[in-house]
Amino acid sequence: QAQLVESGGGLVQPGGSLKLSCRAPRMITSVFNPQIMGWYRQTPGKERELVASISSSRNTNYADSVKGRFTISRDNSRKMVYLQMNDLKPEDTAVYYCNALDTTQQPKYNWGQGTQVTVVS
């Protein structure tokens, strides 16, 4: 079983909303809680990009392309990370992944399967 499991993707029209979830079934709470967690996305032919991150103290950072539309949050007691995506645009279409960030801001674990988000009229 993967360290991180993503869900919540789907097909939505422009302007719509989706909420993605990421769970860490194999991590114990004491490992999950201190980690910076991030949501990434990837489209065919492009590198995976970090779109949002959240620290253990809930400081957040966003890519300019999603700022003001996406909100990352976490529930440490449930070992969950969420990405609320509002006002979705066709360019948000991608496979979305979550991961922890290491001290060099690089993804820490093997990638899970991700969850597909498709924004189309």
Side-chain angles (χ1 to χ4, degrees), residues 51-54 59-63 67 72:
V51 296
S53 64
I54 184 167
N59 291 321
T60 57
N61 284 288
Y62 298 93
K67 211 171 282 186
I72 189 171

Side-chain angles (χ1 to χ4, degrees), residues 40-42 47-49 51 65-66 70 92 94-96:
Y40 299 74
R41 67 185 180 188
Q42 187 173 29
E47 288 195 5
R48 211 171 323 227
E49 64 167 337
V51 296
S65 58
V66 307
F70 290 11
D92 295 318
V95 180
Y96 284 73

Side-chain angles (χ1 to χ4, degrees), residues 83-101:
L83 187 68
Q84 176 67 47
M85 306 186 295
N86 298 328
D87 190 24
L88 282 160
K89 303 177 180 182
E91 52 264 41
D92 295 318
T93 296
V95 180
Y96 284 73
Y97 304 85
C98 69
N99 212 322
L101 281 69

